[in-house]
Amino acid sequence: MAELTTLESLLEMGFERNRAEKAVANTGNQGIEQAMDWLMEHENDPDIDEPFVPPVGNVLGGEADSQSTTEQPSLADTAEADGVGNYDNDDTSARMPMSEEEKLEQVRRLEELMRVKQAERRERERAEELEREKQRRRQGQELQQIRQKLQDDDMKKLADQRMKEKMEDKMARQRVKDKIARDREERAQKFGGIAPPSTASSSQPAQPSPSSPTSHGPPPTKKEYDESRIQVRLLDGSTLTAVFKAQEPLAAVRVYVQVNGNTPEGQDFTLLSPYPRHVYTELDMEKPLKELGLVPSAVLVVAKK
């Protein structure tokens, strides 16, 4: 059975002549499979439908006939130029054209080949798309791991910083407590050897009661106190009560409020007496409680500076 040329086969399959001629020319007229592969690979090229201009001396389907006109070559001439069908020199110069049945049969074979090529191409594109998707997922996972690592590092740094701040705050509070304890111990050692006036007076002979109307002795001496009971009213309305030595400075009361009160850390405050109202200055903080008139007891109020 005679076969169609590559160009004729493409035209019979429904390809436009311009595209078919380009496919044949660009594949060197090597066969229908190569031409179909070229068409499927270049079907989306922007210049695929531009007019085809064949190179000089090249005729699609075979060698140029020096006597040819602008008319299309016959099927027999194209097939002979395509190398299909071998005839002896003694045979007739022209072979018989293919029948319609033969053309249809060959077109069916080519369409089947076309479907196979298209299926292979779809499978190849699907495999490439799967590979690209895998690559995107790998890159996404790597990026997520990097982000997670950076987030973990930031959280670790923040936790370390908070722990460090808590330790520093704890150590600062402990230093204040230690200082208060040392100050109290020093004051106890300093004033512990002096007998209170009440003890000294008890060693003297008994004197008549000052309340006795028959007593004509000297007026009673004012009782001396060596301790002071201080009540401090905080900013939120709560109170603190503590006992201090009469010779302790007012700064000791302030430190006690800083350690045991609920004053926000870092907030500066001062102390004042409500009745009569008197705001204590930094100079007052160094004065003993006895000198400030806060013995034997007093009520102080915490006030913001």
Side-chain angles (χ1 to χ4, degrees):
M1 179 180 66
E3 294 184 357
L4 296 174
T5 64
T6 302
L7 181 60
E8 291 173 346
S9 300
L10 295 175
L11 295 176
E12 289 288 340
M13 293 175 66
F15 289 103
E16 297 180 2
R17 172 173 289 276
N18 186 51
R19 294 191 177 191
E21 290 177 350
K22 286 185 177 181
V24 174
N26 283 283
T27 58
N29 196 17
Q30 295 181 358
I32 185 66
E33 292 189 22
Q34 289 80 355
M36 285 192 298
D37 290 340
W38 188 91
L39 283 171
M40 286 188 290
E41 292 175 2
H42 297 274
E43 62 180 352
N44 296 321
D45 289 355
D47 59 345
I48 187 65
D49 291 320
E50 292 183 2
F52 173 69
V53 180
V56 179
N58 178 58
V59 177
L60 297 177
E63 298 178 354
D65 186 357
S66 58
Q67 303 298 327
S68 63
T69 62
T70 57
E71 299 178 356
Q72 292 293 334
S74 64
L75 295 178
D77 294 339
T78 307
E80 184 176 359
D82 217 14
V84 179
N86 297 323
Y87 294 92
D88 295 333
N89 294 332
D90 296 337
D91 293 338
T92 58
S93 59
R95 62 183 176 84
M96 295 297 293
M98 288 189 298
S99 64
E100 290 299 326
E101 291 79 5
E102 292 174 335
K103 289 183 179 180
L104 291 175
E105 178 63 25
Q106 186 163 353
V107 169
R108 279 195 295 270
R109 294 202 311 270
L110 295 177
E111 288 177 348
E112 180 64 25
L113 179 61
M114 186 71 173
R115 285 192 293 271
V116 172
K117 292 289 184 181
Q118 290 176 343
E120 292 176 353
R121 181 186 179 185
R122 287 193 297 270
E123 185 64 26
R124 184 172 62 254
E125 291 176 349
R126 185 161 49 249
E128 292 174 354
E129 179 63 25
L130 288 175
E131 183 61 29
R132 287 193 293 269
E133 181 65 22
K134 290 180 181 178
Q135 183 67 20
R136 285 195 295 269
R137 290 182 180 180
R138 283 195 297 268
Q139 292 176 353
Q141 292 175 354
E142 293 174 357
L143 182 60
Q144 182 65 25
Q145 291 175 356
I146 294 174
R147 289 177 178 174
Q148 186 64 38
K149 185 177 184 302
L150 293 175
Q151 185 177 2
D152 293 343
D153 292 343
D154 292 340
M155 293 297 294
K156 184 178 179 181
K157 290 179 181 178
L158 182 59
D160 293 342
Q161 181 65 24
R162 288 180 177 176
M163 184 176 295
K164 181 179 179 181
E165 292 174 355
K166 288 183 179 179
M167 290 297 297
E168 291 177 351
D169 183 66
K170 184 177 179 181
M171 293 174 63
R173 289 177 179 271
Q174 186 62 39
R175 285 195 296 269
V176 172
K177 291 181 180 179
D178 294 343
K179 185 177 185 303
I180 293 175
R182 288 195 302 271
D183 292 343
R184 288 181 176 177
E185 184 178 354
E186 291 175 359
R187 292 187 180 92
Q189 292 176 357
K190 182 177 179 181
F191 300 103
I194 301 177
S198 58
T199 305
S201 61
S202 62
S203 60
Q204 300 296 329
Q207 299 293 334
S209 174
S211 60
S212 173
T214 60
S215 174
H216 300 286
T221 59
K222 185 178 180 180
K223 184 177 180 179
E224 295 289 335
Y225 296 91
D226 61 345
E227 290 183 346
S228 176
R229 186 175 183 273
I230 304 295
Q231 185 183 69
V232 182
R233 186 179 305 163
L234 303 178
L235 293 173
D236 60 353
S238 60
T239 59
L240 288 175
T241 303
V243 177
F244 300 87
K245 294 293 183 180
Q247 297 298 326
E248 285 188 281
L250 183 59
V253 180
R254 183 177 180 180
V255 173
Y256 180 82
V257 174
Q258 287 178 334
V259 175
N260 299 281
N262 54 5
T263 305
E265 184 176 357
Q267 181 177 357
D268 199 4
F269 66 91
T270 187
L271 299 174
L272 60 89
S273 294
Y275 303 105
R277 182 180 176 83
H278 176 73
V279 180
Y280 296 100
T281 64
E282 293 296 331
L283 294 177
D284 294 333
M285 293 296 167
E286 302 299 327
K287 296 179 181 179
L289 298 177
K290 184 176 181 179
E291 182 179 341
L292 295 173
L294 301 178
V295 178
S297 65
V299 176
L300 301 177
V301 179
V302 174
K304 296 181 180 179
K305 273 193 175 183

